[in-house]
Amino acid sequence: MRSFLNFVSRPVSIFVLAILLILFNGLLMLSMPKEFALDLKFAYSASDVFFALDSMGTDMREFYRIGIWLLDFPYMLVYTLFFTGVIYRLWGENKLLLLPVVIGFFDLLENVMVLYLLDTFPDIPGVLANMASFFTTSKWIFVLFMMASVLGGLIRMIIHRKCSTETASRYEI
């Protein structure tokens, strides 16, 4: 496990994953209807699902389905690896390493539910719409925790470097 963490936290690995992250984000923005994509919503209802999917129309729903299969599933792997590497680099072996994995897990469940809802449309089972909403909302809550941990790690690193530089300069004479 440590060799895997060392690999994904290497600067070159983080750089390549960051490029892939940007590429996938751009492609996802092109393939998913931003105003209707369930992946981007927070705490939606069955009627919100129906409205979003109905507003897309048949062609856009099919494009959305293809986008989930071809882009969103691989994107989960990319961001999970990227943020695992970043968090490991900032915090070392820490429970925070679970955050990208938990986010990926909720994203996976969300995608499976959304694909099912796309398949059953116009029949939207309320329980499944609520489950999809729960997975999406949970994903975004954990994304907030993860971003806070990355920001906290960056602040910690900057303070540590500044203190190390100041301490080192005191002893140079």
Side-chain angles (χ1 to χ4, degrees):
M1 180 68 163
R2 186 166 285 142
S3 62
F4 166 75
L5 291 171
N6 286 331
F7 176 76
V8 295
S9 67
R10 288 180 19 215
V12 69
S13 297
I14 290 175
F15 177 75
V16 169
L17 289 166
I19 297 298
L20 288 171
L21 196 69
I22 292 166
L23 176 69
F24 273 103
N25 266 312
L27 291 171
L28 281 166
M29 280 198 249
L30 294 174
S31 72
M32 292 194 175
K34 286 178 227 144
E35 63 276 6
F36 303 122
L38 299 173
D39 314 62
L40 304 176
K41 295 188 180 301
F42 193 86
Y44 48 85
S45 67
S47 60
D48 294 331
V49 172
F50 184 86
F51 175 77
L53 297 182
D54 188 48
S55 298
M56 285 182 203
T58 306
D59 292 339
M60 183 56 75
R61 280 193 303 274
E62 188 57 32
F63 199 58
Y64 185 33
R65 178 189 333 276
I66 292 168
I68 290 172
W69 279 111
L70 296 180
L71 297 173
D72 208 15
F73 280 117
Y75 178 63
M76 281 186 277
L77 179 62
V78 169
Y79 73 68
T80 299
L81 293 173
F82 174 78
F83 283 107
T84 298
V86 168
I87 290 171
Y88 182 69
R89 193 156 184 83
L90 292 171
W91 293 101
E93 285 192 48
N94 189 305
K95 289 181 182 178
L96 293 172
L97 288 170
L98 291 174
L99 286 172
V101 175
V102 169
I103 293 165
F105 178 70
F106 279 121
D107 201 3
L108 173 68
L109 295 174
E110 165 202 72
N111 284 345
V112 169
M113 290 278 92
V114 170
L115 287 168
Y116 184 80
L117 292 168
L118 284 164
D119 286 344
T120 62
F121 183 80
D123 182 31
I124 303 294
V127 171
L128 297 180
N130 290 334
M131 285 174 59
S133 176
F134 172 78
F135 296 141
T136 304
T137 303
S138 298
K139 173 187 77 174
W140 287 116
I141 289 169
F142 280 100
V143 165
L144 287 174
F145 284 126
M146 184 178 66
M147 297 313 280
S149 73
V150 168
L151 182 61
L154 288 170
I155 291 168
R156 178 176 162 250
M157 183 181 74
I158 291 167
I159 290 171
H160 179 21
R161 283 189 180 168
K162 184 175 179 169
C163 290
S164 296
T165 305
E166 288 175 1
T167 303
S169 65
R170 267 190 243 161
Y171 295 107
E172 286 180 22
I173 296 187

